[in-house]
Amino acid sequence: GESVGLHLPTLSVQEGDNSIINCAYSNSASDYFIWYKQESGKGPQFIIDIRSNMDKRQGQRVTVLLNKTVKHLSLQIAATQPGDSAVYFCAEPLLGKLIFGQGTELSVKP
Amino acid sequence: DTGVSQNPRHKITKRGQNVTFRCDPISEHNRLYWYRQTLGQGPEFLTYFQNEAQLEKSRLLSDRFSAERPKGSFSTLEIQRTEQGDSAMYLCASSLVGRGNYGYTFGSGTRLTVV
């Protein structure tokens, strides 16, 4: 079965607000996670990744937090913009292939 | 190199017909993956190649599905005797083994509709 999953299927935020997308995983031995963004009609696009020896990693307007104690990771998007509207997936490489969760659809209200 | 290219972008076929999709990976990538994605779900792994060798096939890949990567470059995915349940987005990805972040790059997919 899947080893990663998401708490909420949809998230609606106001433009300019911060967004937080959550993901839970079940395998305590998991050591690497990736966040992808998928816009309508396109393939998943790499956003940011994190290894288990880190608790936090920052990119441009995005931050990923990893809590190994409760096996949870989150993607934070600062100052959410209309162009951030998409489906976001967390994914975990397993024996060379990516295992994806169901996804969270982010809608940004102007 | 403009990334991973998939053709066609859309395919509508009648139940029982055969279809073939093509994927052209990033040229220096040695691994190529096929995924299937249905509405509201994450991509599901189907199979992957390292160079021309098919290293793993998911149990999702029934006998009606076959994939090839004859020269270790482009790949084809064929579905024989299509069924309505085959309707989905078929995604291809490629990566270079040994890259720190796996280097997964996805194409835009082929959307299959079986009527």
Side-chain angles (χ1 to χ4, degrees), chain B residues 7-69:
Chain B
N7 289 288
R9 290 294 309 276
H10 303 275
K11 178 69 176 179
I12 300 174
T13 190
K14 292 183 179 180
R15 188 175 51 188
Q17 297 294 306
N18 299 343
V19 294
T20 300
F21 311 140
R22 176 177 171 128
C23 172
D24 288 89
I26 293 174
S27 56
E28 62 265 28
H29 284 183
N30 53 7
R31 278 199 179 172
L32 186 149
Y33 311 80
W34 285 99
Y35 287 81
R36 181 172 66 189
Q37 185 177 26
T38 53
L39 194 63
Q41 301 296 317
E44 295 175 301
F45 169 78
L46 293 178
T47 188
Y48 84 93
F49 295 83
Q50 180 152 329
N51 300 315
E52 65 274 8
Q54 189 172 19
L55 296 187
E56 186 175 346
K57 292 191 292 186
S58 165
R59 58 181 173 80
L60 296 174
L61 210 65
S62 77
D63 292 343
R64 297 185 296 106
F65 287 68
S66 62
E68 295 183 342
R69 195 183 183 197

Side-chain angles (χ1 to χ4, degrees), chain A residues 4 7-8 12 14 21 24 27 33 37 41-42 45 49 52 54 59 64 71 75 77 86 88 97 103:
Chain A
V4 293
H7 293 304
L8 295 173
S12 183
Q14 202 72 35
I21 299 170
N27 185 358
F33 302 91
K37 172 186 180 183
K42 297 184 179 180
Q45 179 184 9
D49 58 2
S52 60
M54 304 172 70
V64 56
K71 292 184 284 189
L75 177 70
I77 304 174
Y88 290 81
K97 58 187 182 290

